[in-house]
Amino acid sequence: MHIYCRQDLLLNSINTVLKACSTKTTMPILECILLTAVNNKLTLVGNNLELGIESTIEADVIGEGFIALEAKIFSEIIRKMPGEVIEISSDENYMTSIVSEKSKFQIAGQSGKDFPALPNVEKVNACTIKQIELKEMIRQTIFSVAQDETRPILTGEMLQIKNNSLNMVAVDGYRISYRKMELSNENDDIEVVIPGKTLGEINKILSSEENDQVNIYFSDKHVLFDLGESKVVSRLLEGDFLRYEQVFSPDYETKILVNRKSFLMSIERAALISREGKKNPIRVEIDGDKMIITSNAELGTSREELDVVLEGKEIVIAFNPKYLIDALRAIDDDNVYIQFISSLTPCIINPEDGDQYKYLILPIRVNS
Amino acid sequence: MHIYCRQDLLLNSINTVLKACSTKTTMPILECILLTAVNNKLTLVGNNLELGIESTIEADVIGEGFIALEAKIFSEIIRKMPGEVIEISSDENYMTSIVSEKSKFQIAGQSGKDFPALPNVEKVNACTIKQIELKEMIRQTIFSVAQDETRPILTGEMLQIKNNSLNMVAVDGYRISYRKMELSNENDDIEVVIPGKTLGEINKILSSEENDQVNIYFSDKHVLFDLGESKVVSRLLEGDFLRYEQVFSPDYETKILVNRKSFLMSIERAALISREGKKNPIRVEIDGDKMIITSNAELGTSREELDVVLEGKEIVIAFNPKYLIDALRAIDDDNVYIQFISSLTPCIINPEDGDQYKYLILPIRVNS
């Protein structure tokens, strides 16, 4: 392989595929980036067998071929190269020379043949949305993905197409985060579970430009996000996800409308005290048009008072403040509805207008 | 104690004194900030017995008094308070209430009497310099303070007034960093050694405003930096510091003038290869008007070529790249002189003009 390419384009591409490179593995080839030069294009691939990312740039290809280079050192070398143009050439022993102006590196590569190919996902029945919308949906749900592995399926997020709306749902046993978006074109119904870790990496690659779109394709075991210049393939998790629809009950005994930011900041303050204790809950009391939030630990106490609009009965209920904080931070609206049935059943946070999200949070039982 | 004060001023003050609060200690009082309200001033003090910082703000003092509050929780509460005005009051049991708008905290404080007073340093014979200049001198030397404790005196930096110039010197056994500044007013000669850790904290407090000055006072065991609204007292280290003057020899066999940034970037690239090996040195060869930098490890090799102006003999010498990188990063000049005697003796980096700094670096002996 022998090519010339632009340093800035190459570095960009490396930073994209690096997210799929293993850092600790018993298979050293997974710590590499595969470079393939053909038809005046240079294609880079990172693949840790759970997540695979491919990125293609323009290059001046003198000799076609492929080579696998250790990702960390390759990215550091390219990042620090002095010139705008990089020359990369490798010989039959995989010895690769990287040259820019008066800097020259020689590093040992590995055969590109040993690098695992990306799984093939047929490009039929694309679900097409804006990258910025997918980014938003991931941001607003991913924090509820289970961190422990006791139920592996919950370490992923369900991506569901149903009645031409795209739903994303994350559940960790204490809460459910749900986000929905209407699709503009016709789509077949589908349900898959994508590992949370790989969604986190995809999120970093998605563009924030208003007009950039992503085509999503599905196979039995994989999902492909086609972003144009880069492609992301993720393994799917197998197993039964929670039937979340049944859990969101429309019934309530208490429903309040509250300013999201004031509520969030009050809970963050109360959490300063409660987290000093052994994860003491915070206590929320709806008393007419007031919400009183108190917390209590060896260290001291705190009390917050907020205005709310109450519909239904007064209530006293306690929560792990972290779960309320995560949900309220993810929401952008000025005001939210919160509905309660009793102090032993979950509360649900809904938008003031519309049904684009729902957050369900289990309370903590306390002795009053 | 009972006061009202502005949230932003108080938070600023807390952030300043926090740098002197202990985080892990067997004396819980050292994890506190001491608040003293008197004469419509509120004074905050943090003191870990090595470093003490005092900061004073305007306050509306309703009741004079003092109280020690656990620094971490106090700073977090003040940071998150909703209003512009904070009310703090403590009762005879040291129970302290902190109120702002509809937020109220009650935390248990400790008696201010138990808090260790700052050491007294008499304000005579001030050495006065600009804060920004002291900040610069610390930044350009502190990286050479010894990290290991085998010779405790070298974990500090020497601050020396001699012939009306202020010198700062740090030594770690492999290199010496020296920075000097002419003083404008008359000063007595003095030599003290200030712990590196506390210099690092002082550096964060020093202002970058062109006109802010600092008065430095000395006692037998302490140094006081008076910044006006805040005062910093540091313990001094006891023992004999290196007689550094004798080590900087003006003799050389080889002297080169080189572009600092190009040299720095070449070494940074060479270090990518050398640090993959077991701290392999980089090899520097002066060959006529060229400098050739090479590095070599199992992973691969690198070669860099740079233009230099040579005076004297050609030389081949090897270094730990980190020491060259630290010194070259600290310097702001476009070009530097580097002088060598042999491949077994230290090199010295000097300014192209003037004598405001000197960096000495030991080479590594290699088999050629």
Side-chain angles (χ1 to χ4, degrees), chain A residues 149-174:
Chain A
E149 302 271 339
T150 41
R151 289 185 60 192
I153 189 78
L154 297 186
T155 64
E157 226 182 292
M158 180 198 268
L159 189 153
Q160 178 186 53
I161 299 175
K162 195 173 170 180
N163 305 329
N164 227 34
S165 99
L166 176 69
N167 306 321
M168 292 189 70
V169 187
V171 179
D172 72 357
Y174 303 99

Side-chain angles (χ1 to χ4, degrees), chain B residues 14 49-50 52 61 80-81 101-102 152 160 167 177 189 229 231 243 284 309-310 342 351 364:
Chain B
I14 291 172
L49 302 182
E50 176 151 311
V61 177
K80 288 194 181 277
M81 273 307 207
E101 293 183 352
K102 289 178 178 171
Q160 178 186 51
N167 306 322
S177 296
D189 284 2
E229 280 168 7
K231 289 171 187 45
R243 294 288 91 204
V284 175
V309 179
L310 169 65
S342 78
I364 294 176

Side-chain angles (χ1 to χ4, degrees), chain B residues 41-288:
Chain B
K41 299 267 185 199
L42 178 68
T43 299
L44 277 69
V45 180
N47 186 3
N48 63 21
L49 302 182
E50 176 151 311
L51 175 72
I53 305 178
E54 179 186 297
S55 169
T56 301
I57 60 169
E58 301 288 328
D60 190 1
V61 177
I62 311 297
E64 297 190 340
F66 57 3
I67 183 81
L69 299 176
E70 204 271 306
K72 185 160 164 280
I73 187 79
F74 179 55
S75 79
E76 286 177 338
I77 288 172
I78 300 304
R79 184 166 295 121
K80 288 194 181 277
M81 273 307 207
E84 283 175 21
V85 174
I86 308 277
E87 179 186 2
I88 304 175
S89 55
S90 55
D91 67 17
E92 61 278 15
N93 299 317
Y94 318 118
M95 185 51 75
T96 302
S97 115
I98 305 170
V99 181
S100 175
E101 293 183 352
K102 289 178 178 171
S103 284
K104 180 174 181 173
F105 284 82
Q106 297 255 36
I107 57 173
Q110 295 179 60
S111 168
K113 283 182 198 153
D114 300 335
F115 196 87
L118 288 188
N120 186 42
V121 179
E122 222 181 322
K123 291 196 183 173
V124 290
N125 299 331
C127 164
T128 305
I129 59 169
K130 289 183 179 173
Q131 292 190 32
I132 194 172
E133 286 175 336
L134 180 59
K135 205 176 167 72
E136 194 68 358
M137 291 182 81
I138 295 174
R139 177 182 74 81
Q140 293 186 319
T141 49
I142 196 167
F143 54 86
S144 296
V145 165
Q147 298 305 310
D148 69 76
E149 303 272 338
T150 40
R151 291 185 59 194
I153 190 77
L154 297 186
T155 64
E157 222 179 296
M158 180 197 269
L159 190 151
Q160 178 186 51
I161 298 174
K162 195 172 171 180
N163 305 329
N164 226 34
S165 99
L166 177 68
N167 306 322
M168 291 188 70
V169 187
V171 179
D172 71 358
Y174 303 99
R175 51 181 168 174
I176 305 175
S177 296
Y178 163 93
R179 180 73 163 79
K180 122 174 180 181
M181 208 189 56
E182 303 296 340
L183 294 171
S184 49
N185 54 342
E186 277 296 316
N187 284 274
D188 294 343
D189 284 2
I190 195 161
E191 246 181 55
V192 299
V193 181
I194 305 175
K197 218 192 288 177
T198 77
L199 273 181
E201 297 299 344
I202 289 168
N203 198 28
K204 293 178 197 156
I205 299 170
L206 289 168
S207 144
S208 297
E209 296 291 328
E210 184 55 36
N211 293 319
D212 290 345
Q213 293 202 306
V214 50
N215 291 316
I216 312 176
Y217 304 94
F218 304 90
S219 73
D220 275 1
K221 308 224 165 192
H222 294 91
V223 55
L224 164 64
F225 296 87
D226 187 344
L227 316 179
E229 280 168 7
S230 34
K231 289 171 187 45
V232 180
V233 186
S234 172
R235 189 171 65 81
L236 297 175
L237 294 180
E238 288 172 51
D240 287 326
F241 202 77
L242 182 81
R243 294 288 91 204
Y244 71 91
E245 291 95 336
Q246 303 153 11
V247 186
F248 286 106
S249 156
D251 304 332
Y252 62 87
E253 295 287 325
T254 305
K255 182 173 177 179
I256 57 165
L257 184 69
V258 62
N259 179 278
R260 179 189 62 85
K261 201 168 172 197
S262 305
F263 187 30
L264 171 60
M265 288 175 64
S266 290
I267 298 167
E268 285 184 345
R269 282 191 293 270
L272 292 178
I273 292 289
S274 83
R275 77 156 187 254
E276 290 291 320
K278 285 169 191 83
K279 295 195 180 157
N280 294 17
I282 60 163
R283 184 177 177 277
V284 175
E285 178 180 353
I286 312 294
D287 179 8

Side-chain angles (χ1 to χ4, degrees), chain A residues 50 142 144-157 171-172 193-199 235 237 241:
Chain A
E50 177 151 307
I142 197 166
S144 295
V145 166
Q147 298 304 312
D148 70 76
E149 302 271 339
T150 41
R151 289 185 60 192
I153 189 78
L154 297 186
T155 64
E157 226 182 292
V171 179
D172 72 357
V193 181
I194 304 175
K197 218 190 291 176
T198 76
L199 273 179
R235 190 172 64 82
L237 294 179
F241 203 77

